[in-house]
């Protein structure tokens, strides 16, 4: 499933350094605005210890992780919605992603220029949020006059409801609040889906903090301010030192583990970012396991067994018969597929079955 998280932020907050660490793609990282002109796209493996644990039992010839896509989007500046900086070009790049990773500078460094002359994470967040709000407001204000008369005629139910929900959104945006804070019915979400609202996209804040603050993150006042802001809007926050993550990305697994131990860190901040981004979009993982291959597959929470079969191949969905399923927990308990089956833990699920995170599935189909 090709879902993408876009990395945004003001210039010089550490976006491209973070992106390089995530993908090892070598995107241009420079100490001046607009070092990233075209969006850089990188595919990363989603860390999942369950995959290795399943493989240790099945002993396949190959292990295949599921993947996730990140896009590094150039730094926005004040006035972007009106064409300042690289303006609408950047906004269009954000419109194409499914979730927003908002990198916020929470470190002091006289050698790294700040576009506004000082470090103030809440001001920086508001600068970008306002530009995204203005871009959404422009869409709503152009659409409302076009459907107002049709809605007043009360002939087309969809048009009436679309008009009503846009009026609510308009009020929210005029209050400089993102649309994602609003509550919508599934019907309303379908009506507004085609607009591609920027502030409707789920978001996570990444505080780029100094190495010295990694172990005790409560000492960073800039990060504390971001946490308070995020709590008020119901968003997630992750603490990362982009520079440390860049250094970790160049190390082999064993050296990386030693370095993390020296830093008194349980895991890489990037692993947490990838996992949180994955969860942010409501993504989950099911597994297929055999002698040739153990593989992780991405699916959207709530998908049925036939839909998940279609993730592997459309023919699997068309000719779906049943899904022979065992949970990850049951496999770990019995330590073999045969033992789990003999214990009655292997289930035969039909078309109505909603796949659960961690299911290990053998799809039966006939085309």
């Amino acid at each position: 499933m090709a879902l993408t998280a876009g990395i945004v932020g003001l210039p010089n907050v550490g976006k491209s350094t973070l992106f390089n660490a995530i993908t090892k793609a070598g995107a241009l990282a420079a100490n001046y605005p607009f070092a990233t002109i075209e969006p850089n796209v990188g595919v990363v493996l989603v860390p999942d210890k369950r995959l290795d644990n399943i493989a240790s039992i099945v002993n396949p010839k190959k292990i295949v992780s599921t993947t996730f896509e990140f896009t590094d989007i150039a730094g926005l500046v004040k006035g972007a919605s009106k064409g300042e900086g690289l303006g609408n070009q950047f906004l269009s790049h954000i419109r194409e992603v499914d979730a927003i990773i908002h990198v916020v500078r929470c470190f002091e460094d006289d050698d790294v220029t700040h576009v506004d002359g000082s470090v103030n994470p809440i001001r920086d967040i508001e600068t970008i949020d306002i530009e995204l709000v203005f871009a959404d407001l422009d869409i709503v204000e152009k659409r409302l006059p076009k459907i107002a008369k049709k809605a007043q005629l009360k002939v087309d139910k969809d048009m009436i409801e679309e008009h009503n929900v846009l009026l609510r959104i308009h009020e929210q945006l005029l209050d400089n609040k993102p649309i994602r804070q609003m509550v919508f019915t599934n019907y309303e979400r379908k009506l507004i889906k085609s607009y591609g609202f920027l502030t409707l996209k789920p978001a996570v804040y990444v505080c780029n903090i100094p190495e010295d603050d990694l172990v005790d993150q409560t000492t960073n006042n800039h990060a504390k301010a971001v946490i308070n802001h995020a709590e008020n809007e119901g968003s997630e926050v992750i603490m990362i030192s982009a520079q440390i993550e860049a250094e970790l990305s160049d190390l082999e697994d064993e050296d990386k583990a030693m370095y993390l131990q020296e830093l008194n860190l349980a895991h890489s901040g990037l692993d947490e970012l990838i996992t949180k981004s994955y969860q942010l979009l409501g993504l989950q993982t099911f597994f297929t396991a055999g002698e040739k291959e153990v593989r992780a597959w991405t699916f959207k929470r709530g998908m049925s067994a036939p839909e998940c079969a279609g993730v592997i191949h459309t023919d699997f969905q068309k000719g779906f018969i049943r899904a022979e399923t065992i949970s990850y927990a049951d496999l770990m308990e019995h330590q073999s597929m045969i033992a789990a089956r003999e214990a009655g833990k292997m289930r035969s699920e039909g078309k109505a079955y909603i796949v659960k995170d961690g299911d290990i599935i053998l799809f039966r189909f006939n085309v």
Side-chain angles (χ1 to χ4, degrees):
M1 301 188 70
L3 294 176
T4 307
I7 304 174
V8 306
L10 292 179
N12 300 339
V13 298
K15 297 185 317 305
S16 293
T17 302
L18 180 62
F19 177 80
N20 291 350
I22 291 172
T23 63
K24 299 183 182 177
L28 174 64
N31 180 25
Y32 56 91
F34 316 124
T36 307
I37 304 300
E38 293 300 322
N40 296 277
V41 179
V43 177
V44 297
L45 301 180
V46 177
D48 196 328
K49 291 181 179 178
R50 295 176 299 180
L51 185 66
D52 292 329
N53 291 339
I54 294 169
S56 69
I57 292 172
V58 178
N59 294 316
K61 294 179 181 176
K62 187 166 66 169
I63 302 173
V64 183
S65 299
T66 190
T67 58
F68 189 78
E69 204 169 90
F70 282 95
T71 300
D72 179 28
I73 298 169
L76 289 177
V77 295
K78 206 173 290 182
S81 58
K82 296 180 173 61
E84 295 294 329
L86 295 180
N88 292 329
Q89 182 182 349
F90 294 166
L91 294 173
S92 67
H93 292 157
I94 298 172
R95 208 174 296 283
E96 292 169 4
V97 302
D98 302 287
I100 294 174
I101 308 299
H102 191 157
V103 182
V104 186
R105 178 171 170 174
C106 293
F107 65 89
E108 301 281 352
D109 188 338
D110 292 338
D111 293 329
V112 179
T113 307
H114 191 291
V115 290
D116 288 326
S118 63
V119 178
N120 184 328
I122 301 306
R123 179 199 61 208
D124 294 353
I125 289 171
E126 289 173 349
T127 295
I128 287 192
D129 281 353
I130 286 172
E131 295 308 319
L132 302 186
V133 163
F134 283 168
D136 284 347
L137 194 57
D138 183 56
I139 292 173
V140 174
E141 290 183 341
K142 285 179 178 176
R143 178 63 176 167
L144 276 174
K146 293 179 181 178
I147 64 173
K149 288 184 179 178
K150 292 180 181 178
Q152 288 170 3
L153 293 174
K154 300 186 183 300
V155 176
D156 187 328
K157 179 192 172 187
D158 286 349
M159 195 68 71
I160 295 168
E161 292 302 322
E162 181 185 349
H163 185 259
N164 289 339
V165 75
L166 286 182
L167 286 174
R168 284 174 52 211
I169 288 172
H170 187 250
E171 187 176 337
Q172 176 84 351
L173 294 172
L174 285 177
D175 203 21
N176 284 332
K177 294 179 180 177
I179 301 171
R180 63 176 168 270
Q181 292 182 9
M182 301 176 68
V183 177
F184 300 104
T185 64
N186 290 335
Y187 173 52
E188 288 172 332
R189 284 190 175 275
K190 285 181 182 178
L191 290 176
I192 63 175
K193 184 178 180 181
S194 62
Y195 289 108
F197 287 126
L198 302 178
T199 65
L200 182 58
K201 298 178 189 294
V204 60
Y205 293 103
V206 174
C207 293
N208 188 7
I209 61 178
E211 175 188 342
D212 294 342
D213 293 344
L214 278 175
V215 177
D216 185 3
Q217 298 170 0
T218 61
T219 60
N220 190 305
N221 290 326
H222 292 316
K224 285 181 188 176
V226 176
I227 291 170
N228 290 335
H229 178 87
E231 284 178 350
N232 290 334
E233 69 169 47
S235 296
E236 296 268 4
V237 178
I238 297 173
M239 302 293 170
I240 278 181
S241 167
Q243 196 57 50
I244 291 297
E245 297 299 335
E247 293 172 13
L248 284 168
S249 69
D250 290 328
L251 301 177
E252 298 296 331
D253 288 346
E254 189 174 332
D255 293 332
K256 179 179 174 180
M258 289 177 61
Y259 191 15
L260 285 171
Q261 192 172 10
E262 288 176 12
L263 294 170
N264 291 318
L265 297 176
H267 53 76
S268 161
L270 290 184
D271 285 349
E272 184 182 0
L273 174 59
I274 295 166
T275 303
K276 280 273 177 69
S277 301
Y278 194 74
Q279 294 170 347
L280 191 66
L281 288 169
L283 301 180
Q284 296 182 323
T285 303
F286 72 85
F287 303 93
T288 52
E291 291 181 2
K292 289 185 178 179
E293 176 184 276
V294 168
R295 180 186 287 252
W297 302 88
T298 298
F299 71 101
K300 265 275 195 184
R301 186 187 298 114
M303 285 176 65
S304 66
E307 288 173 322
C308 285
V311 171
I312 299 176
H313 198 287
T314 53
D315 286 348
F316 284 27
Q317 183 170 0
K318 289 176 185 175
F320 178 87
I321 298 173
R322 66 182 183 276
E324 296 178 2
T325 309
I326 180 173
S327 72
Y328 170 77
D330 286 338
L331 178 61
M332 290 302 104
E333 179 184 348
H334 295 281
Q335 287 295 296
S336 84
M337 291 289 192
I338 294 173
R341 186 181 290 111
E342 290 175 347
K345 299 299 182 180
M346 183 74 74
R347 312 183 310 275
S348 181
E349 303 288 2
K351 292 182 178 180
Y353 177 66
I354 302 301
V355 175
K356 297 179 177 61
D357 184 51
D359 276 352
I360 302 161
I361 305 176
L362 173 61
F363 292 105
R364 298 294 187 184
F365 69 102
N366 183 27
V367 177

